Amino acid sequence: MSLLDSGSLSVHRLLRRPTRIELFRVLDAGVHAGVVRETIRARDVGVYVHVPYCRSTCMFCPYFRKVLRDWGELNMYLNALLKEAEFYGKLLEDLNLEVVEVHVGGGTPSLVPPHFYKRFVEKLSEFFNVRCGVGVEANPEDFKNLKVVEDFYASGVDEVSVGVQSFDEKVLKSVGRRHKPEDCVAAVENSVRAGFKWVNVDLMFLTPTIKDYVELGLEEKVGAFRRDLGKSIELGAHQVTYYATIIPKNSPGHRLAELGKLIQEVDAVDRFVEEALEFAEGSKLYLTRVYSISRKPYEYATVNLEMVGPLIGLGAGAWSNTGYYQYINVHDVANYIKLLYNGMTPAIYARRLGEGSMVWRLLFDQLSTGVVREAVFESMGLRTPFRVRALLKLMELSGLVEKVAGGYKLTKRGVLEVYKSVINYVADVPVKTTGTLSKQADVSELPLKIAI
Ligand code: SF4
């Protein structure tokens, strides 16, 4: 079942319907490489790097990660990343591709020695025309130290997303984060002072109340979220991204939910998103995504290209999408290192994506930005099919979009609906896939097909 229940109108059900995907085991590395080459049809590509290491495990973490205990293993992992970059570099070198974004997510990319990122871009530049700097997600515990932040900046990192989550001590406690509000303030201030071209602040809302541990009422949570938005901009952040807290089955904190110790007001998601929209309007900020507001129409976006591609994902747990072929790397660090050191591909599951899938992905990607234009479909050589036009018409009749020159724009109600459909998609697909694949450490025993 989806995290957020469906509404009564059919368009609401369509937007929030659970997504089901089937993935097939990658059995032949040569065939995989051939399909990657054949299905990249755009010249501009994004690169995503997954760093799965963290200092500790947060209570409701839905991502693929592990606690960093062995720096020797981290070094081998970083070398394996360079090997994987080289593999795809050699494979695609003669296509003259331009790398237009490099984002590093995790895990905790700020745990990696900063000079690695310089080396990584040098490696990419052997094969691609790299037209961008590197964006990394940073933990406030690392970025509270100005010298560390300056070292990242000096290593070619020019965008940062600080994992603040909240400046409120009780909210941080309720999501099991170890850092303190003062670490958050220092990390954002240091990032702005160091000169990064773009500083994003990640915030979490819909945080749970945990009985006998940290008890916050809905109004207190909304108030803390309002203050968090204001504080982020006051400190100089260029962008704020706000996520509803998901409590997945594979997170350490899910046991509390099973014991009935958690209260999460899932029906109140609109309250928080409305708060963000009002704040954006009052502060003259742009709505760059339904979950993101910015000072300029520009966004720090870790894996947006995953939706339409081409995005080359590197690292254990990384997802890639050439546009017409999606593949997922092994979700196990030891296996990832072993496969690359033995000259084998870490891609373990894949699926072909047809033109129909591309049309829907392009539609939902555009909906998440708030505006849908037919010209975008045409620029990719795609016709807008009848069912997409029908959905947009239905959305217009339901008051979720309004016509603008060349397309449709989300109304406030539309933003709320699309926000919930994005959260449901994240809970339905990436989070469930991570849960399923993280359990399968033995590569030789992976099933030939999995359905998520
Ligand atoms: S939430 Fe972030 S910092 Fe916490 S365990 Fe997960 S990846 Fe690591």
Side-chain angles (χ1 to χ4, degrees):
M1 192 171 104
S2 296
L3 180 76
L4 305 166
D5 258 345
S6 54
S8 52
L9 288 170
S10 59
V11 65
H12 295 201
R13 282 202 292 276
L14 186 56
L15 276 177
R16 300 193 206 167
R17 70 182 176 174
T19 313
R20 299 279 170 253
I21 63 168
E22 284 187 335
L23 296 162
F24 300 90
R25 184 82 174 86
V26 173
L27 295 170
D28 186 322
V31 171
H32 165 71
V35 180
V36 171
R37 256 186 81 88
E38 165 212 323
T39 51
I40 288 195
R41 297 183 196 163
R43 257 190 101 202
D44 289 356
V45 298
V47 172
Y48 170 73
V49 180
H50 194 74
V51 172
Y53 294 99
C54 295
R55 278 210 176 75
S56 57
T57 304
C58 301
M59 209 177 337
F60 305 114
C61 178
Y63 310 115
F64 170 66
R65 40 61 192 149
K66 68 178 288 193
V67 175
L68 175 60
R69 300 188 198 284
D70 178 351
W71 286 84
E73 185 190 88
L74 172 64
N75 273 330
M76 287 177 76
Y77 183 79
L78 298 178
N79 276 329
L81 277 175
L82 295 174
K83 285 179 193 292
E84 196 186 8
E86 184 167 305
F87 170 78
Y88 286 104
K90 283 184 176 161
L91 178 71
L92 305 171
E93 189 173 11
D94 61 327
L95 299 182
N96 296 319
L97 301 177
E98 313 253 332
V99 173
V100 293
E101 56 172 67
V102 177
H103 283 112
V104 191
T108 308
S110 53
L111 275 179
V112 169
H115 58 79
F116 167 75
Y117 295 115
K118 188 163 184 279
R119 210 169 142 215
F120 180 75
V121 172
E122 284 165 2
K123 174 58 74 185
L124 283 182
S125 303
E126 289 175 26
F127 310 102
F128 305 102
N129 178 18
V130 181
R131 291 197 341 233
C132 58
V134 178
V136 300
E137 288 172 5
N139 189 309
E141 283 181 275
D142 299 315
F143 268 40
K144 68 183 176 190
N145 180 335
L146 181 60
K147 172 79 176 70
V148 170
V149 181
E150 287 173 342
D151 285 350
F152 272 85
Y153 186 67
S155 302
V157 173
D158 65 353
E159 293 187 1
V160 64
S161 176
V162 187
V164 164
Q165 318 313 346
S166 177
F167 294 95
D168 185 291
E169 192 151 18
K170 278 174 106 178
V171 175
L172 286 175
K173 204 171 159 192
S174 73
V175 284
R177 299 292 167 126
R178 287 195 338 180
H179 58 262
K180 302 273 172 265
E182 54 271 27
D183 300 340
C184 301
V185 172
V188 179
E189 281 179 344
N190 288 342
S191 301
V192 173
R193 194 177 314 159
F196 291 105
K197 128 185 147 196
W198 202 251
V199 177
N200 174 56
V201 165
D202 265 356
L203 296 179
M204 284 172 100
F205 68 85
L206 217 64
T207 52
T209 292
I210 305 170
K211 281 187 198 156
D212 307 324
Y213 178 59
V214 51
E215 306 207 351
L216 280 162
L218 177 61
E219 292 313 314
E220 280 177 280
K221 292 179 193 178
V222 173
F225 182 58
R226 191 182 306 130
R227 288 191 298 280
D228 287 342
L229 291 164
K231 186 83 182 166
S232 305
I233 295 299
E234 183 192 311
L235 290 171
H238 304 104
Q239 176 184 337
V240 183
T241 304
Y242 38 94
Y243 300 107
T245 310
I246 294 173
I247 303 178
K249 280 203 177 122
N250 57 326
S251 67
H254 190 262
R255 183 82 187 115
L256 290 169
E258 287 172 333
L259 293 171
K261 283 189 165 275
L262 291 183
I263 298 166
Q264 196 185 25
E265 301 90 344
V266 285
D267 292 339
V269 68
D270 288 0
R271 283 282 310 275
F272 292 91
V273 181
E274 277 170 2
E275 202 63 54
L277 296 181
E278 264 171 45
F279 176 76
E281 206 178 316
S283 310
K284 306 220 172 334
L285 301 172
Y286 294 87
L287 184 75
T288 41
R289 293 271 164 184
V290 291
Y291 45 79
S292 214
I293 50 180
S294 295
R295 289 180 193 267
K296 286 193 226 164
Y298 176 82
E299 57 175 331
Y300 180 102
T302 314
V303 286
N304 276 352
L305 270 174
E306 211 285 311
M307 204 65 179
V308 289
L311 180 78
I312 302 167
L314 306 172
W319 292 51
S320 302
N321 178 5
T322 64
Y324 295 90
Y325 178 63
Q326 185 177 47
Y327 58 94
I328 303 176
N329 279 358
V330 63
H331 279 48
D332 180 81
V333 168
N335 272 315
Y336 175 77
I337 294 172
K338 197 162 105 193
L339 287 165
L340 279 152
Y341 274 68
N342 288 326
M344 294 158 78
T345 177
I348 50 161
Y349 281 103
R351 63 177 181 142
R352 292 266 197 170
L353 303 171
E355 214 160 79
S357 164
M358 174 57 103
V359 167
W360 283 110
R361 286 166 166 266
L362 207 46
L363 172 68
F364 281 95
D365 186 56
Q366 289 192 73
L367 280 173
S368 74
T369 67
V371 183
V372 180
R373 295 190 195 284
E374 288 211 2
V376 175
F377 294 93
E378 284 159 18
S379 71
M380 295 187 63
L382 300 162
R383 278 187 317 109
T384 316
F386 171 75
R387 58 191 196 283
V388 168
R389 288 202 299 270
L391 172 66
L392 289 168
K393 194 74 208 161
L394 195 54
M395 289 180 74
E396 187 186 6
L397 293 172
S398 307
L400 301 181
V401 295
E402 60 196 16
K403 260 206 164 298
V404 291
Y408 291 91
K409 185 173 181 287
L410 287 180
T411 60
K412 185 173 156 192
R413 277 188 50 225
V415 171
L416 299 175
E417 279 308 309
V418 172
Y419 188 96
K420 284 178 271 198
S421 78
V422 169
I423 294 297
N424 280 333
Y425 172 79
V426 172
D428 277 339
V429 181
V431 168
K432 274 192 195 156
T433 308
T434 299
T436 304
L437 295 185
S438 301
K439 284 190 219 124
Q440 296 165 317
D442 190 341
V443 179
S444 64
E445 288 181 6
L446 292 173
L448 290 179
K449 184 176 110 175
I450 55 171
I452 307 289

